[in-house]
Amino acid sequence: MSQQVNQETSAAGGVNRRSVLAGLAGGVASAGLLAPSAAAGTTGAETAGRPERDQRVEALLGRMTLAEKIGQLQLVGDETTARAALAGGRLGGVFSVVGAAKLNALQRIAVERTRLKIPLVFGLDVIHGYTTNFPIPLAQGASFDPAVAGTDAAVSAKEARSSGIHWTYAPMMDVTHEPRWGRIAEGYGEDPYLATRFAVAKVRGYQGNDYSAPDRVAACAKHFVAYGGAEGGRDYNTVDVSLHRLHNLYLPPFKASVEAGVATVMASFTTISGVPAHGNGYVLHDVLKGAYGFRGFVVSDYTGIEELILHGLAGDGADAAAAALPAGVDMEMVSTNYARFAERLLAERRITRDQLDDAVRRILLVKVRLGLFERPYVDEATEVKAPSPAALAASRQAAARCMVLLKNDGPVLPLAKGIGSVAVVGPLGIATYDLNGTWAGLGTGAGTTPPVTVVDGIRAAAPGAAVTYTPGCTVEGTDTTGFAAAQQAARAADVTVVVVGETAAMSGEAAARSTIDLPGVQQQLVAAVAQTGKPFVVVLVNGRPLTISSVHEHAPAILEAWAPGVQGGHAIADVLFGAVNPGGKLPVSFPRAVGQIPIYYNHENTGRPADPANKYTSKYLDLASGPLYEFGHGLSYTTFRVDGLRLSSTRLPARGGRIDVTATVTNTGARAGDEVVQLYLRDPVASIVQPVRRLRGFQRVTLAAGASTTVSFTLTPDDVGFYDNAARFRVEPGKIEVYVGTSSAATLSASFTVG
Ligand code: BGC
C-alpha cells in the first residue's frame, strides 16, 4: 500500500505564494494541497445571487476612502469605544453589547451619520444558547446526534437575531486530546469525524439556507486552527503539529464548515509549528482561503493581532498588522493595529492595496449576505429576554439525550417512580448556574431564571417521595465534617443520588486544571456514602472528562450529566427515573489517571503496542493500559446486540467507488431504548501510519423492546484516504478493516480492498 493511486486536485483559488510553513512541509506550497471533495462556495445557498452581491460590494468598495476601508476592519467590544470609533467614521462592528435598543442606537449612528451609511455587524458569543442554555457542546457531542446541535443553533439563532445580534462566535470545533484544557467543554471531543458532523449541523442550524433571515445568524468557525493541541492543556500554549496531523485531525471540521458555507472564521490564539495563527499565512491564506476557497472573513481572536508582539513574531504593533493582514486576518477585534498602522504600512508597501481591499470586500460581503443594508435595525418589540416554554422543552430534551450512563450495576437505575425516599447528597445537588457550564450567554446572572436544580428535578419527577438534601462538602473545599450527615441521610433513604463534579468556572477559557480528579473532597464523599452499604448513584456535572477510577470502584451506578443547561435538574431526573432511557456515548476517552494524558482511541499502533506480558511495550509500569471508559462507551437501561455485518462489495475502486456496510441492531432487553451503532475503519499498512481505528459513521436508533433494525453506512474513497506529510490527500491501495459495534472497542469486523 505504498503507491498513491488517487490524487484529486481541487486547490481552488490558485494560490502561488510560498507557504510560510514551506520549510516544515518540505517545500510544499499551497498549490500542492489537495482537497478530497468539492471546494467551498459551491452550495446552492452560497452561489445563489452571488453575482449581484459581488457587484454591490465592488460598487461600494469603489466609493470608499482609505480611512473608510480601514474602519471596516475594526471590531470593538463596548459601547463607549464604539461611539468614539463611530465619531471618526471608522468602525466595522461591535461585539458583546446586548439589548435591542442599545444596538439600534449604535446602528443609527453608522447608518444615519456616516458618509456611506455602511451598517455595523453585531457579534456575540452565543455558544450553547442566547437566553436558553442548552447543554455544553462537549455534552452535545455525547448525544451522537447532530440534530441536537442543530436544534441548539436554530433556537439560539432565533433568540439572538430577534434581539439584534447578527453574528455568533460559534461553533467552536477544536478537536483535542487534552482533558486538562478547559476549552474541551466548548468543542466535540477527540474525534475529527464526530466534530465535523456536529460543526456542520451547528453551522446549518445558525445560518439556515440564508442568514439574512430574521431567525438566523452568521456563524464563525473557531479557532483556526489546532488550538486543541496546546501543550500540557495550558490555555494559549504552544502547538507543534505535523502537517499530516494538522490536516487529518484538526482541519477536517473547518474544511467541512467552509463547504457548508460558514460565514466567518476566527483565528486561534496559539502558534502552529512556530508561527502564531494570527500571522500564519499557510493556514489562513493558503489553506483556508486558497485550497478551501473560503469567501467569508477571518476575525482575530480578541487581541490576537497585538499578541503577535508577545509571541515574538512582531516587534511592535505596526509589525503585527503587517504580519496579520497579508496572512489573512481581515477584521481586528479589540486591539487597534490595523486602525493605527494600515495607512502607514501601505505607504511603506508592507501591505498592499489588494490585501486591504480583499479584507474589506470579505467583510462587506458578509454584511450584504446578512441583509444589513436592507434591514439594519431590529424591531425592539421582538427582543427575547427569557426562554420560551418551547425553547425550555427543547433544551430539556437535548440535555437528557446527551447524558451517558457510564456504569449501572445491580442495576440501580432507573429508580422507581413510586420510590419512598431519596437522599440527594453532594455540593452540586442544589447547583443552579453551574449547570449552565461555561459561556452561558445571557442565561446566567442578574435578572435571569436560574437552571432547575437536581433536587427540584427529582421532587418534580417523584412527587410522592420524601426528598432530602445534604451537601456533604463544597466543590473545592477540604472540610469533611459534613460527611457524617451525608451518611446519615443515605442510611435513612431508599436510594441516594450523589451529585458531584465541577463548577461552571472550572472549564472553558483559561480554565486548565493540572489534575482532573473530582475537585476538593468529593471523591472521599462518594467513598463515605459507599460505606453505608445502601444503594446509590453518582451524577457527574462537569465540563471535561474526569479521572474517576475511585468513583468507578465505589459507586454501583454513574450517570455523566455534563453541564446540562437551564433544564438540567429536570433532564437528570428524566433519566434517573427512566422517563428517558439514556443513549449518549462518550465523545472523549476517560483516562484512568492524569499521567496517561494524552490518551485517545484513534492513536497509532507504535512498533510495540501495549502488552501487559511484555515489559518492552508502550505502557506505564504503574497503571493498566487503556482508558477507564473508552471513546463511544455508554450504557442503556436495556441491552443491544449488533450482528449481521455485511459489505456490498469486497473491493472499493479508488476513484468513484462506494461500498455499503450494513448491520443489524436488536434491542435484546425489556424496555425501549437508544443505541448508537458506530463504524470504525483501520488501514493496517499505509505510507503514513494510520490510527488503530477511526470513526467514519454512526447512527443513533431508537428501538422498542425486542425490535431490530438494519443500519447502513456508505463508504467512499474519501473515507479511507488521508493527508500525508506534504498535505496531499491520498487514497492508497490495500486492505481496510471495518469494525461495527457500540463503542470504539467494537469487535464485529470485516474487510475490503481499495484499488
Ligand atoms: C475567546 C473566543 C471568543 C472571544 C470573544 C476570546 O477570548 O477565545 O472564543 O469568541 O474571546 O468573546
Side-chain angles (χ1 to χ4, degrees), residues 287-313:
V287 176
L288 178 69
K289 294 180 175 177
Y292 295 175
F294 174 63
R295 296 189 80 233
F297 71 82
V298 174
V299 63
S300 73
D301 190 356
Y302 221 80
T303 44
I305 294 179
E306 182 111 350
E307 289 169 32
L308 293 177
I309 302 170
L310 284 174
H311 269 299
L313 191 85

Short mmCIF file of all heavy atoms in Angstrom, two decimals, residues 287-313:
data_model
loop_
_atom_site.label_atom_id
_atom_site.label_comp_id
_atom_site.label_asym_id
_atom_site.label_seq_id
_atom_site.Cartn_x
_atom_site.Cartn_y
_atom_site.Cartn_z
N VAL A 287 -4.30 27.63 3.04
CA VAL A 287 -5.25 26.53 3.22
C VAL A 287 -6.69 27.04 3.19
O VAL A 287 -7.50 26.62 2.36
CB VAL A 287 -4.97 25.77 4.54
CG1 VAL A 287 -6.03 24.69 4.76
CG2 VAL A 287 -3.58 25.15 4.51
N LEU A 288 -7.01 27.95 4.12
CA LEU A 288 -8.42 28.35 4.27
C LEU A 288 -8.94 29.10 3.05
O LEU A 288 -9.96 28.74 2.46
CB LEU A 288 -8.55 29.22 5.53
CG LEU A 288 -9.95 29.76 5.82
CD1 LEU A 288 -10.89 28.63 6.22
CD2 LEU A 288 -9.91 30.81 6.94
N LYS A 289 -8.23 30.17 2.70
CA LYS A 289 -8.74 30.99 1.61
C LYS A 289 -8.33 30.45 0.24
O LYS A 289 -9.04 30.63 -0.74
CB LYS A 289 -8.24 32.44 1.77
CG LYS A 289 -8.83 33.11 3.01
CD LYS A 289 -8.35 34.55 3.17
CE LYS A 289 -9.06 35.23 4.35
NZ LYS A 289 -8.55 36.60 4.57
N GLY A 290 -7.19 29.78 0.21
CA GLY A 290 -6.73 29.23 -1.06
C GLY A 290 -7.35 27.88 -1.35
O GLY A 290 -8.30 27.76 -2.12
N ALA A 291 -6.84 26.86 -0.69
CA ALA A 291 -7.27 25.48 -1.01
C ALA A 291 -8.76 25.28 -0.74
O ALA A 291 -9.45 24.62 -1.51
CB ALA A 291 -6.45 24.49 -0.22
N TYR A 292 -9.26 25.81 0.38
CA TYR A 292 -10.68 25.58 0.69
C TYR A 292 -11.61 26.56 -0.03
O TYR A 292 -12.81 26.38 -0.03
CB TYR A 292 -10.93 25.69 2.20
CG TYR A 292 -10.25 24.65 3.07
CD1 TYR A 292 -10.34 24.73 4.46
CD2 TYR A 292 -9.52 23.60 2.53
CE1 TYR A 292 -9.72 23.79 5.28
CE2 TYR A 292 -8.89 22.66 3.34
CZ TYR A 292 -8.99 22.77 4.71
OH TYR A 292 -8.38 21.85 5.53
N GLY A 293 -11.06 27.64 -0.55
CA GLY A 293 -11.88 28.60 -1.27
C GLY A 293 -12.84 29.38 -0.37
O GLY A 293 -13.91 29.80 -0.80
N PHE A 294 -12.44 29.61 0.88
CA PHE A 294 -13.31 30.35 1.82
C PHE A 294 -13.48 31.79 1.37
O PHE A 294 -12.50 32.49 1.12
CB PHE A 294 -12.67 30.29 3.22
CG PHE A 294 -13.36 31.12 4.26
CD1 PHE A 294 -14.67 30.84 4.63
CD2 PHE A 294 -12.70 32.17 4.88
CE1 PHE A 294 -15.31 31.60 5.60
CE2 PHE A 294 -13.32 32.94 5.85
CZ PHE A 294 -14.63 32.65 6.21
N ARG A 295 -14.74 32.23 1.27
CA ARG A 295 -15.01 33.59 0.77
C ARG A 295 -15.45 34.55 1.86
O ARG A 295 -15.68 35.73 1.62
CB ARG A 295 -16.08 33.54 -0.33
CG ARG A 295 -15.66 32.77 -1.57
CD ARG A 295 -16.67 32.95 -2.69
NE ARG A 295 -16.50 34.21 -3.37
CZ ARG A 295 -17.48 35.12 -3.56
NH1 ARG A 295 -18.69 34.90 -3.09
NH2 ARG A 295 -17.24 36.23 -4.21
N GLY A 296 -15.66 34.04 3.06
CA GLY A 296 -16.08 34.92 4.15
C GLY A 296 -14.89 35.66 4.73
O GLY A 296 -13.83 35.72 4.11
N PHE A 297 -15.05 36.23 5.93
CA PHE A 297 -13.90 36.93 6.51
C PHE A 297 -13.38 36.24 7.76
O PHE A 297 -14.08 35.47 8.41
CB PHE A 297 -14.21 38.41 6.75
CG PHE A 297 -15.17 38.74 7.88
CD1 PHE A 297 -14.75 38.79 9.20
CD2 PHE A 297 -16.49 39.05 7.60
CE1 PHE A 297 -15.63 39.12 10.22
CE2 PHE A 297 -17.38 39.39 8.61
CZ PHE A 297 -16.95 39.42 9.93
N VAL A 298 -12.11 36.52 8.03
CA VAL A 298 -11.44 35.97 9.22
C VAL A 298 -11.35 37.08 10.26
O VAL A 298 -10.89 38.18 9.96
CB VAL A 298 -10.03 35.48 8.86
CG1 VAL A 298 -9.28 35.03 10.12
CG2 VAL A 298 -10.09 34.33 7.85
N VAL A 299 -11.79 36.79 11.47
CA VAL A 299 -11.70 37.76 12.56
C VAL A 299 -10.60 37.30 13.51
O VAL A 299 -10.38 36.09 13.68
CB VAL A 299 -13.07 37.89 13.29
CG1 VAL A 299 -13.51 36.59 13.96
CG2 VAL A 299 -13.06 39.04 14.30
N SER A 300 -9.92 38.26 14.09
CA SER A 300 -8.90 37.89 15.08
C SER A 300 -9.61 37.37 16.31
O SER A 300 -10.77 37.68 16.55
CB SER A 300 -8.05 39.11 15.46
OG SER A 300 -8.78 40.00 16.28
N ASP A 301 -8.92 36.57 17.11
CA ASP A 301 -9.49 36.25 18.41
C ASP A 301 -9.02 37.30 19.40
O ASP A 301 -7.84 37.35 19.77
CB ASP A 301 -9.11 34.85 18.90
CG ASP A 301 -9.95 34.48 20.14
OD1 ASP A 301 -10.72 35.34 20.60
OD2 ASP A 301 -9.84 33.35 20.63
N TYR A 302 -9.95 38.15 19.76
CA TYR A 302 -9.67 39.21 20.70
C TYR A 302 -8.41 39.97 20.27
O TYR A 302 -8.32 40.37 19.12
CB TYR A 302 -9.56 38.61 22.13
CG TYR A 302 -10.23 39.49 23.15
CD1 TYR A 302 -11.61 39.46 23.33
CD2 TYR A 302 -9.48 40.38 23.91
CE1 TYR A 302 -12.23 40.28 24.25
CE2 TYR A 302 -10.09 41.20 24.85
CZ TYR A 302 -11.46 41.16 25.01
OH TYR A 302 -12.06 41.97 25.92
N THR A 303 -7.43 40.11 21.17
CA THR A 303 -6.23 40.89 20.83
C THR A 303 -5.15 40.03 20.16
O THR A 303 -3.96 40.30 20.30
CB THR A 303 -5.66 41.51 22.12
OG1 THR A 303 -5.68 40.50 23.14
CG2 THR A 303 -6.47 42.69 22.59
N GLY A 304 -5.58 39.03 19.44
CA GLY A 304 -4.63 38.08 18.83
C GLY A 304 -3.61 38.74 17.92
O GLY A 304 -2.48 38.26 17.80
N ILE A 305 -3.99 39.85 17.27
CA ILE A 305 -3.00 40.53 16.39
C ILE A 305 -1.93 41.19 17.26
O ILE A 305 -0.73 41.01 17.05
CB ILE A 305 -3.71 41.53 15.46
CG1 ILE A 305 -4.63 40.78 14.49
CG2 ILE A 305 -2.69 42.39 14.72
CD1 ILE A 305 -5.42 41.65 13.52
N GLU A 306 -2.38 41.90 18.26
CA GLU A 306 -1.44 42.57 19.18
C GLU A 306 -0.52 41.53 19.85
O GLU A 306 0.65 41.79 20.12
CB GLU A 306 -2.26 43.30 20.24
CG GLU A 306 -1.44 44.05 21.24
CD GLU A 306 -1.60 45.56 21.08
OE1 GLU A 306 -2.22 46.00 20.08
OE2 GLU A 306 -1.12 46.27 21.95
N GLU A 307 -1.07 40.35 20.13
CA GLU A 307 -0.31 39.33 20.83
C GLU A 307 0.85 38.77 19.99
O GLU A 307 1.71 38.07 20.52
CB GLU A 307 -1.24 38.21 21.32
CG GLU A 307 -2.13 38.67 22.46
CD GLU A 307 -3.26 37.72 22.83
OE1 GLU A 307 -3.08 36.50 22.69
OE2 GLU A 307 -4.33 38.21 23.25
N LEU A 308 0.85 39.11 18.71
CA LEU A 308 2.00 38.68 17.88
C LEU A 308 3.29 39.28 18.43
O LEU A 308 4.38 38.73 18.22
CB LEU A 308 1.78 39.11 16.42
CG LEU A 308 0.63 38.40 15.69
CD1 LEU A 308 0.48 38.95 14.28
CD2 LEU A 308 0.88 36.89 15.65
N ILE A 309 3.16 40.39 19.16
CA ILE A 309 4.35 41.02 19.74
C ILE A 309 4.90 40.12 20.85
O ILE A 309 6.08 39.76 20.85
CB ILE A 309 4.03 42.44 20.27
CG1 ILE A 309 3.47 43.31 19.13
CG2 ILE A 309 5.26 43.06 20.91
CD1 ILE A 309 2.90 44.65 19.60
N LEU A 310 4.03 39.73 21.79
CA LEU A 310 4.50 38.87 22.88
C LEU A 310 4.90 37.48 22.38
O LEU A 310 5.82 36.87 22.91
CB LEU A 310 3.43 38.76 23.97
CG LEU A 310 3.31 39.99 24.86
CD1 LEU A 310 2.14 39.86 25.81
CD2 LEU A 310 4.60 40.22 25.64
N HIS A 311 4.23 37.00 21.36
CA HIS A 311 4.64 35.72 20.79
C HIS A 311 6.08 35.79 20.30
O HIS A 311 6.79 34.79 20.29
CB HIS A 311 3.76 35.38 19.57
CG HIS A 311 2.54 34.58 19.88
ND1 HIS A 311 2.58 33.34 20.43
CD2 HIS A 311 1.22 34.84 19.68
CE1 HIS A 311 1.35 32.85 20.56
NE2 HIS A 311 0.50 33.75 20.12
N GLY A 312 6.47 36.99 19.85
CA GLY A 312 7.82 37.12 19.31
C GLY A 312 7.87 37.06 17.80
O GLY A 312 8.91 36.82 17.21
N LEU A 313 6.71 37.31 17.16
CA LEU A 313 6.71 37.34 15.69
C LEU A 313 6.83 38.78 15.19
O LEU A 313 7.24 39.02 14.07
CB LEU A 313 5.42 36.71 15.14
CG LEU A 313 5.43 36.45 13.64
CD1 LEU A 313 6.09 35.11 13.35
CD2 LEU A 313 4.02 36.45 13.05
#
